[in-house]
Amino acid sequence: MRNSLIDIFDSFYFIGIGGVSMSGLAKYLIYRGKKVGGSDLVSSIYTDEVVYSGASVNIGEVTDSVENFDVIVYTDAVQKSNVQLKEAEKLDKIILSRGQLLYEISRGFGTVIAVSGCHGKTTCTSMLAHIFLAAGKKFFAHIGGRDLVFANSFFCGTDYLITEACEYKKNFLLLRPNIAVLLNSGTDHLECYGSIENLRAAYRQFVKNADLSVTLAGDEAVGDITFGYGKNTDLCAKNISSSDGRYSFTVYKKSKCLGRVSLSVDGKHNILNALAAACAALSVGISFRYVQEGLADFCGVERRFERIGLINGARCIADYAHHPDEISASLKTAKHSTQGKIYVVFQPHTYSRTKLLFKEFVKVLSSVDNLLIYRTFAAREYFDDAGSALTLSQSIKKSLYGDDPKDIVKFLSPVKSGDSVLFLGAGDIYDISKSVVQCLS
């Protein structure tokens, strides 16, 4: 193994430890026997988990010092004026961004598999973790969401690192993976890149940075191994069938039939996620039977078309979809398995994304007959009327606007058995949706 900061230093402090990625990395360092501390504005399941694992965490107003820690790690959401970050600078501490820490951690693994793309990263990463577990491999899975079995991390050895590689602020270009999986090179985070051309150039660089790359057939970024539906792909899905929204298909490697795969999650788009995971697993010598077993064992990730309950007999689905393409995929999945009406509650995530992709949001959401657009989840941003949920709602004739959970309750009061309710968005709509479902159940 190559020496990294992880080998050299014994204590790490996380500013923003409650983030899904930050908490996963914090837990890894605890697995390694490191002293871990951190702070966050609010408590969450992630802060609870790192405390349970052995970290000391301060919630709310900052009262603890970073003086007794060797390395200070900060999330991209932290402002430069942050009190603890300023203290770390004054104390001349080693300061790393989340992406830089992930790179340092990656240096301690024999093989690094990094999964990127505009959509599907969490699902594909989780699928790979289940495949590698079925195959008995020693690995650490760093997941940007909550797998229903592994949560956001799983550690059983250092032979392989399976990680999401986020394109936000070019973080994924910090990695030097052995295998790069690029699910798609869709348009997002233009507030960071400035143009589609710059974003696509970054995707191409991500592919070039790897020893071996796996890409979607026909994608703008061309890799060493391709997956998809076409005849000229390296790994192809054929003879596709579905039951209650869940798909089965036969996998072909060129002209050779490898066998049949049955997924335990909803949505045709997950066929491509599964093919990408299969490509990566097969490239490191994992037998196809473990690919079949792992994909069958994968039962989903929270907020990825997750079934969260019933309202008057209508099934309720929570989905992380916060990009027009993801919304389109969720709608297609719902239409395929809904006999009655589809009700959609969509919460825009950040003003900048809504503003930059405004026309695309209007186009995809205009196809929804029963639509409520809920107040924007601002995340790291300040108010911008041009990208607000109200402005988006006013541009879609059939939509309603809501800024209180009571608005959602009223909107959903007519639903009945046979209908489907979709709660879409990457913000706090997930917790709100659970409360609404409980209220109306």
Side-chain angles (χ1 to χ4, degrees):
M1 297 295 178
R2 300 160 288 174
N3 286 332
S4 71
L5 292 179
I6 311 305
D7 302 306
I8 298 170
F9 296 103
D10 295 321
S11 59
F12 297 78
Y13 190 95
F14 289 74
I15 305 174
I17 198 168
V20 59
S21 177
M22 290 279 277
S23 62
L25 297 177
K27 284 190 282 186
Y28 169 75
L29 293 176
I30 296 171
Y31 299 151
R32 290 285 307 273
K34 306 296 182 179
K35 174 186 174 183
V36 173
S39 61
D40 213 301
L41 295 176
V42 295
S43 62
S44 66
I45 190 169
Y46 298 111
T47 56
D48 292 344
E49 286 176 351
V50 291
V51 169
Y52 180 79
S53 298
S56 58
V57 177
N58 181 65
I59 300 296
E61 184 179 354
V62 175
T63 58
D64 54 340
S65 171
V66 300
E67 183 176 4
N68 296 322
F69 291 85
D70 300 321
V71 180
I72 313 304
V73 185
Y74 66 93
T75 177
D76 286 324
V78 169
Q79 302 295 319
K80 292 182 179 180
S81 59
N82 178 273
V83 174
Q84 291 177 308
L85 201 55
K86 287 291 186 183
E87 181 193 8
E89 291 171 351
K90 288 180 181 179
L91 294 171
D92 201 26
K93 294 288 185 180
I94 295 173
I95 302 174
L96 299 176
S97 68
R98 182 208 62 85
Q100 289 169 332
L101 175 66
L102 177 57
Y103 167 70
E104 290 295 331
I105 287 175
S106 73
R107 294 175 61 195
F109 287 82
T111 300
V112 176
I113 303 173
V115 181
S116 190
C118 187
H119 343 285
K121 293 186 290 291
T122 299
T123 295
C124 185
T125 303
S126 295
M127 285 177 167
L128 275 167
H130 284 272
I131 292 169
F132 275 62
L133 184 66
K137 299 297 183 182
K138 304 299 181 183
F139 66 96
F140 169 51
H142 172 237
I143 304 168
R146 295 189 66 79
D147 179 275
L148 297 181
V149 174
F150 300 132
N152 64 335
S153 68
F154 180 79
F155 179 77
C156 62
T158 57
D159 289 346
Y160 298 91
L161 169 63
I162 304 167
T163 182
E164 286 195 35
C166 179
E167 65 273 18
Y168 181 63
K169 289 190 175 180
K170 299 186 179 181
N171 278 315
F172 66 158
L173 297 185
L174 295 172
L175 293 169
R176 292 297 181 269
N178 300 96
I179 301 171
V181 178
L182 180 57
L183 298 169
N184 40 69
S185 54
T187 304
D188 202 3
H189 298 302
L190 292 182
E191 76 280 11
C192 303
Y193 290 91
S195 69
I196 295 174
E197 290 72 23
N198 290 339
L199 174 61
R200 288 175 177 171
Y203 280 126
R204 289 194 296 270
Q205 188 60 53
F206 171 69
V207 168
K208 290 179 181 177
N209 285 347
D211 299 328
L212 180 73
S213 56
V214 175
T215 60
L216 176 65
D219 196 85
E220 199 268 347
V222 180
D224 302 303
I225 302 172
T226 59
F227 62 92
Y229 300 116
K231 294 180 180 180
N232 297 322
T233 59
D234 294 302
L235 212 65
C236 179
K238 297 182 180 180
N239 306 320
I240 298 169
S241 62
S242 67
S243 175
D244 192 29
R246 295 177 177 179
Y247 285 78
S248 299
F249 53 96
T250 304
V251 177
Y252 282 81
K253 185 176 182 180
K254 295 293 187 180
S255 60
K256 180 182 178 181
C257 176
L258 298 182
R260 195 150 182 86
V261 164
S262 295
L263 300 179
S264 302
V265 289
D266 292 316
K268 188 176 181 180
H269 58 281
N270 279 316
I271 295 175
L272 293 179
N273 292 329
L275 287 175
C279 283
L282 293 171
S283 70
V284 297
I286 290 179
S287 170
F288 185 72
R289 68 187 179 97
Y290 295 124
V291 172
Q292 293 171 300
E293 182 180 336
L295 291 174
D297 288 343
F298 172 65
C299 293
V301 178
E302 284 187 358
R303 304 183 73 166
R304 270 62 175 187
F305 217 83
E306 179 190 359
R307 305 184 187 197
I308 60 171
L310 297 171
I311 296 177
N312 299 330
R315 64 172 186 165
C316 298
I317 305 294
D319 195 276
Y320 199 69
H322 58 292
H323 183 282
D325 291 347
E326 295 167 344
I327 295 170
S328 177
S330 293
L331 291 174
K332 288 178 181 176
T333 300
K335 288 175 182 177
H336 187 76
S337 54
T338 301
Q339 295 178 344
K341 296 179 180 179
I342 296 175
Y343 290 77
V344 174
V345 178
F346 171 61
Q347 181 186 49
H349 188 266
T350 73
Y351 299 106
S352 61
R353 177 181 285 110
T354 307
K355 184 177 179 179
L356 289 165
L357 299 175
F358 197 87
K359 291 182 180 179
E360 290 84 351
F361 278 115
V362 170
K363 181 178 180 180
V364 70
L365 291 170
S366 292
S367 67
V368 180
D369 292 325
N370 303 285
L371 171 66
L372 184 143
I373 298 179
Y374 195 68
R375 58 171 170 77
T376 301
F377 188 81
R380 52 195 171 265
E381 297 182 347
Y382 296 104
F383 178 79
D384 183 347
D385 183 64
S388 72
L390 179 59
T391 300
L392 179 62
S393 178
Q394 291 172 339
S395 300
I396 302 172
K397 291 182 180 180
K398 293 179 287 185
S399 74
L400 301 174
Y401 172 76
D403 58 13
D404 188 282
K406 292 179 182 178
D407 297 324
I408 301 177
V409 171
K410 182 179 179 181
F411 170 66
L412 296 179
S413 59
V415 303
K416 59 181 183 295
S417 181
D419 296 339
S420 289
V421 178
L422 302 183
F423 295 95
L424 307 180
D428 58 2
I429 192 63
Y430 183 62
D431 294 327
I432 294 170
S433 68
K434 286 190 170 182
S435 298
V436 168
V437 171
Q438 185 175 11
C439 174
L440 291 173
S441 295

